[in-house]
Amino acid sequence: MEYFNIRFREMSDDEFDKFAKWNIVDYSQDLVKSGLCSEENAFESAKKSFNGLIPQGKYTKDNFIYVVVNRENEDVGFIWYQKYKEDIAFICDFLILEKFRKQGYGKQTLLLVEKEAKEKGLNKILLNVFKYNKSAFSLYKSLEYKIRDEEAENISMLKNI
């Protein structure tokens, strides 16, 4: 059995509200940085995408939004994934806070998602990563995610679990 140095806890309503605001701003910046959207249109595009994926907020069916907590009970990041298709989980957003990076929390988080997704009857995990995000891409490759598709500045990766 695998041993995890982290656990997931559900976000409170206040945490989710902060997460939603942060997510929209961060994704809009990613859209600009990747060249997929102009600065003028990025915020509205990110907001539309977020609201389309999660119309009932954290209560949207088949969405799993967690704070990642370490053994010292510190919040080290978050993960949001959803049941995308009958047997596929899609990682919508994933972040380990800067001060906790390069300590194995990212890898542990993805492995725990795999375990939880399997328990939910899912057997694949899909995610997208921007090409400029080389550290995230390296992490996914190290965990045997395979490139499924490349389009513009985006790479789609898939792993059978």
Side-chain angles (χ1 to χ4, degrees):
M1 178 147 179
E2 294 178 56
Y3 175 74
F4 292 100
N5 292 314
I6 54 131
R7 64 180 172 81
F8 294 157
R9 73 168 174 76
E10 290 190 26
M11 286 185 181
S12 68
D13 289 344
D14 286 343
E15 287 173 321
F16 178 79
D17 290 343
K18 290 176 186 170
F19 165 75
K21 289 175 185 161
W22 174 86
N23 178 281
I24 291 166
V25 169
D26 186 65
Y27 187 52
S28 68
Q29 292 169 348
D30 284 340
L31 290 172
V32 172
K33 189 173 182 179
S34 66
L36 294 174
C37 214
S38 69
E39 283 189 44
E40 298 78 33
N41 299 326
F43 183 82
E44 283 304 315
S45 180
K47 186 176 175 181
K48 182 178 179 183
S49 176
F50 182 83
N51 291 331
L53 287 170
I54 194 158
Q56 285 84 43
K58 75 177 206 168
Y59 301 103
T60 302
K61 187 178 189 264
D62 293 330
N63 278 263
F64 312 97
I65 306 164
Y66 301 117
V67 176
V68 181
V69 181
N70 67 11
R71 291 169 61 192
E72 289 76 35
N73 215 31
E74 298 170 294
D75 296 346
V76 301
F78 62 82
I79 184 86
W80 165 27
Y81 75 96
Q82 62 182 203
K83 181 178 177 181
Y84 175 65
K85 292 191 176 171
E86 190 163 318
D87 66 337
I88 301 175
F90 178 73
I91 296 177
C92 301
D93 207 350
F94 167 45
L95 176 80
I96 299 299
L97 300 171
E98 190 78 37
K99 75 179 200 172
F100 294 105
R101 291 182 187 166
K102 306 289 185 206
Q103 298 175 45
Y105 292 120
K107 182 176 184 176
Q108 286 281 300
T109 299
L110 292 169
L111 291 172
L112 190 51
V113 165
E114 288 178 20
K115 180 181 182 296
E116 190 176 285
K118 275 185 189 178
E119 290 169 359
K120 293 180 186 327
L122 305 170
N123 60 32
K124 296 176 185 170
I125 297 181
L126 178 65
L127 59 83
N128 292 323
V129 62
F130 287 108
K131 287 182 180 179
Y132 71 81
N133 194 344
K134 297 190 185 318
S135 61
F137 180 74
S138 293
L139 172 62
Y140 303 141
K141 280 192 68 162
S142 76
L143 290 170
E144 300 179 2
Y145 282 79
K146 305 291 184 213
I147 294 174
R148 186 182 86 149
D149 190 24
E150 287 186 59
E151 188 175 307
E153 292 302 310
N154 190 50
I155 300 171
S156 175
M157 301 181 83
L158 182 71
K159 180 177 182 179
N160 292 318
I161 55 173

